[in-house]
Amino acid sequence: NAGVMQNPRHLVRRRGQEARLRCSPMKGHSHVYWYRQLPEEGLKFMVYLQKENIIDESGMPKERFSAEFPKEGPSILRIQQVVRGDSAAYFCASSQQGAGNEKLFFGSGTQLSVL
Amino acid sequence: DQQVKQNSPSLSVQEGRISILNCDYTNSMFDYFLWYKKYPAEGPTFLISISSIKDKNEDGRFTVFLNKSAKHLSLHIVPSQPGDSAVYFCAATHGGSNYKLTFGKGTLLTVNP
């Protein structure tokens, strides 16, 4: 199955630690998007990346959060010094092209729990 | 401020009957609307979409209706099947930025055999 792969599925961190979430897009897709779903909320857009470029980070919190999509390897969403409010499901999506009405394919998500 | 609202957290329907899921939006700039379906422990899966130039789009058992003046859309599933039991998210976007979706909170649909 060449779907969007996210790992780990579950991640537990203590307050102040770092969290790294990985996402491998579908085969042939070069556009990656990260979304966050807080408890009892809908998914919220965070960032859009292409290989080695951040295209739109308008949904990213200003501090502690960063994302990259290197030339080789998966996209990484990094959260430094996690706090309890970061506990959420983080979904990655990918698409073949980045413009127009192209649908996004989502991964199964990473559930981050901050103790 | 929630721009996409799904006011029914849950809906229960008998197998074979029609399921109607509703969604309201406040941002008049939205011009493209989508429905996603999500099973537990899986990511959302695209179901059906509609552009603001249309008022109806149909795909098999699924039909989406858009009422722009009321800023309201609905998803009809007929006939409903037990496998349709999932959380349904309404989403909207504008300006061709199809990646920057604004999602509602979702409605849990349960189809009883």
Side-chain angles (χ1 to χ4, degrees):
Chain A
N1 186 337
V4 179
M5 301 301 294
Q6 289 189 248
N7 66 82
R9 290 296 303 271
H10 301 276
L11 182 61
V12 179
R13 285 287 178 266
R14 295 190 180 278
R15 282 179 296 169
Q17 290 185 319
E18 179 179 286
R20 281 185 180 237
L21 289 65
R22 286 176 288 277
C23 168
S24 296
M26 279 182 72
K27 188 175 181 180
H29 288 191
S30 58
H31 301 256
V32 165
Y33 318 88
W34 286 92
Y35 278 76
R36 176 168 71 171
Q37 184 182 21
L38 294 168
E40 310 298 319
E41 298 288 329
L43 284 76
K44 285 187 166 46
F45 167 78
M46 299 180 76
V47 62
Y48 163 28
L49 309 108
Q50 277 184 274
K51 288 283 188 182
E52 300 183 283
N53 283 307
I54 297 175
I55 307 301
D56 182 350
E57 56 181 347
S58 58
M60 286 280 268
K62 294 288 183 271
E63 296 176 346
R64 303 186 297 106
F65 285 73
S66 62
E68 62 175 5
F69 189 14
K71 189 176 179 181
E72 301 290 337
S75 174
I76 306 287
L77 179 68
R78 182 182 177 207
I79 311 171
Q80 295 179 288
Q81 299 174 331
V82 296
V83 300
R84 289 223 173 100
D86 297 332
S87 295
Y90 291 82
F91 291 97
C92 170
S94 73
S95 67
Q96 193 170 38
Q97 298 169 33
N101 294 334
E102 188 184 2
K103 60 187 176 201
L104 306 185
F105 292 85
F106 283 86
S108 298
T110 293
Q111 181 65 50
L112 172 65
S113 298
V114 179
L115 305 179
Chain B
D1 176 37
Q2 242 195 307
Q3 298 184 61
V4 176
K5 300 178 185 177
Q6 294 177 258
N7 292 321
S8 298
S10 62
L11 175 68
S12 186
V13 167
Q14 208 62 29
E15 181 178 6
R17 301 284 189 121
I18 185 170
S19 296
I20 300 177
L21 296 103
N22 293 303
C23 177
D24 297 293
Y25 62 96
T26 57
N27 188 342
S28 56
M29 298 291 291
F30 287 146
D31 58 11
Y32 191 62
F33 304 88
L34 308 92
W35 285 92
Y36 277 81
K37 179 165 106 172
K38 184 181 180 304
Y39 293 117
E42 294 186 13
T45 302
F46 171 78
L47 195 55
I48 193 169
S49 62
I50 188 167
S51 165
S52 61
I53 61 173
K54 295 185 174 182
D55 54 19
K56 176 183 174 182
N57 189 26
E58 193 171 350
D59 183 2
R61 297 185 296 115
F62 303 91
T63 303
V64 55
F65 295 92
L66 175 62
N67 182 335
K68 287 189 292 293
S69 60
K71 292 193 178 69
H72 176 84
L73 64 155
S74 60
L75 174 68
H76 292 212
I77 307 172
V78 55
S80 302
Q81 300 172 355
D84 295 329
S85 298
V87 176
Y88 288 78
F89 290 100
C90 172
T93 186
H94 63 86
S97 300
N98 196 41
Y99 62 87
K100 204 166 180 177
L101 301 172
T102 300
F103 281 84
K105 293 185 179 182
T107 296
L108 173 62
L109 173 67
T110 303
V111 180
N112 301 303

